[in-house]
Amino acid sequence: MNETAKEDVKLNISRSDTYELFAILIGNSVINHQKILSNAKRICQIMRDEIECWKYGRARRGVLAVSSVNWRDPLESFPNTLSDSDFYSYFESILNSWHDIQFRLAGKPAKFEGFPSNLLKNLREENKLRNHLVHSEYVWDRDLKQGDEIMVARPQNSSGARNFGHFQVKTLNRSEFLEFIEYQYKIIQFLEFLQCDFELFLYDEAHITANSTEFDVEVVQFSQSEEVNSGSAGFSEGFEDPWEPRHAEIIAFLSAKAESLSAIEELRLKLRIKSGNCVYTQLPPMEGSTLTISKDTVIDIYE
């Protein structure tokens, strides 16, 4: 085998290895995204149940004044009919309503005030980045670090996109992708714990009663209702009374949840995969083409 043939074989192996590696990373990001979405849908239902409990003063929304045992609330399946972005708009309305109640029941702890906006910011960011990664073309370039870098071309087909009708082309590093997958894992873990932590509203009925002037009438009436419970299995573990967490414990718990979410927010802000180092082209790049991508220069390589 001559030197040219050996070099061709070497390049083909490098190309195949690079495509395989990034295909695995894309697959992981898709699996993680679906886990995030499924967790968010379950949490949405839990929060809806609690809002219904607040409105109608019964322990669970499952107690329905209907004759047929086969009846199902259509809103239980409604989230499954929505696109990801539309679902998050629906989720936002449920989350804000739930938070408004929980925030007041806990005496409006400052650290917990921005919880909904921070959570939605991360869910929407993950959804946008995952969408960009999935709907992009990945192109091998022999001048990049094989197995570590690849060119990514994404069509600018949104009417509000910069350079509408062109392709945004950038070099994606494997470490940037792994960083994004770690970010997804952090969100998954946070949402999984959230399902247990907030199965029931957290409040201290004795504290609210003793300090009733600091709470609105709705809060006082709800906390004194005999048809509702406070606490959850996840929250109450290790406490003396599993269903009656004390006010100070609730404040500390909600603050800790807000801080955990803040750590995820810090990771979101540092994600290198959002880098704007790219060029805009009229046609997608071809294998073997070389692009010099500078964060300070936006060019059309086909001019």
Side-chain angles (χ1 to χ4, degrees):
M1 183 181 294
N2 59 39
E3 291 302 318
T4 301
K6 288 181 180 179
E7 184 62 25
D8 286 343
V9 171
K10 183 178 178 181
L11 288 173
N12 281 331
I13 292 174
S14 294
R15 174 178 59 187
S16 297
D17 286 348
T18 301
Y19 280 142
E20 182 178 5
L21 173 63
F22 279 92
I24 292 171
L25 293 175
I26 294 167
N28 281 338
S29 70
V30 171
I31 291 171
N32 289 341
H33 173 74
Q34 290 307 127
K35 286 182 179 179
I36 289 170
L37 199 61
S38 294
N39 282 324
K41 287 180 178 180
R42 282 192 286 269
I43 290 170
C44 190
Q45 187 61 54
I46 289 170
M47 291 183 173
R48 249 199 86 227
D49 285 351
E50 288 309 293
I51 294 169
E52 293 292 306
C53 171
W54 169 270
K55 287 180 178 179
Y56 304 115
R58 51 178 175 255
R60 305 303 294 167
R61 189 174 50 83
V63 183
L64 296 169
V66 293
S67 57
S68 173
V69 295
N70 295 320
W71 185 89
R72 294 296 298 272
D73 185 343
L75 283 179
E76 288 185 7
S77 58
F78 172 68
N80 299 328
T81 67
L82 303 173
S83 66
D84 290 1
S85 59
D86 286 341
F87 165 72
Y88 282 135
S89 294
Y90 173 69
F91 181 77
E92 181 177 19
S93 67
I94 297 295
L95 178 61
N96 284 335
S97 296
W98 171 88
H99 177 266
D100 175 62
I101 300 167
Q102 178 60 80
F103 186 58
R104 288 186 288 146
L105 284 171
K108 301 183 179 180
K111 288 187 177 180
F112 195 60
E113 185 172 8
F115 185 85
S117 59
N118 280 340
L119 180 55
L120 261 299
K121 227 184 305 185
N122 282 278
L123 291 176
R124 284 183 167 131
E125 183 80 89
E126 185 279 333
N127 182 55
K128 181 180 73 174
L129 292 174
R130 187 277 322 172
N131 188 56
H132 288 178
L133 290 169
V134 170
H135 296 287
S136 292
E137 181 177 355
Y138 293 79
V139 181
W140 175 75
D141 188 327
R142 69 181 67 194
D143 291 331
L144 297 176
K145 294 178 183 177
Q146 303 308 321
D148 199 48
E149 294 178 328
I150 198 168
M151 279 198 301
V152 180
R154 185 170 64 87
Q156 301 294 90
N157 51 15
S158 171
S159 58
R162 180 182 182 183
N163 291 343
F164 176 67
H166 286 61
F167 287 85
Q168 181 191 81
V169 185
K170 63 185 294 184
T171 298
L172 181 61
N173 189 283
R174 181 168 63 97
S175 64
E176 296 175 17
F177 214 135
L178 288 172
E179 189 179 66
F180 173 66
I181 289 176
E182 179 189 359
Y183 173 66
Q184 289 182 308
Y185 282 142
K186 296 285 187 184
I187 296 176
I188 291 170
Q189 186 180 46
F190 183 82
L191 294 180
E192 286 177 346
F193 280 114
L194 207 61
Q195 292 179 63
C196 298
D197 294 334
F198 294 142
E199 284 182 349
L200 297 175
F201 282 127
L202 306 177
Y203 64 90
D204 181 348
E205 189 258 329
H207 177 84
I208 292 173
T209 300
N211 301 274
S212 59
T213 57
E214 298 177 12
F215 296 88
D216 58 52
V217 175
E218 269 190 316
V219 166
V220 176
Q221 290 176 341
F222 180 83
S223 69
Q224 295 176 345
S225 171
E226 295 180 356
E227 298 180 322
V228 295
N229 294 315
S230 169
S232 74
F235 175 80
S236 60
E237 185 177 355
F239 290 149
E240 193 172 309
D241 188 332
W243 293 108
E244 295 184 8
R246 297 296 174 250
H247 186 70
E249 294 170 330
I250 293 170
I251 297 299
F253 179 78
L254 294 179
S255 296
K257 283 297 167 186
E259 288 171 5
S260 297
L261 186 56
S262 294
I264 296 175
E265 171 66 4
E266 288 178 11
L267 184 58
R268 180 188 75 84
L269 294 172
K270 296 177 182 177
L271 287 175
R272 290 174 293 156
I273 205 167
K274 299 190 297 181
S275 168
N277 299 353
C278 60
V279 298
Y280 292 91
T281 70
Q282 294 176 356
L283 296 172
M286 297 180 293
E287 279 193 357
S289 63
T290 301
L291 294 177
T292 300
I293 299 176
S294 168
K295 65 181 179 179
D296 300 318
T297 307
V298 177
I299 60 173
D300 186 336
I301 63 171
Y302 291 101
E303 285 183 343

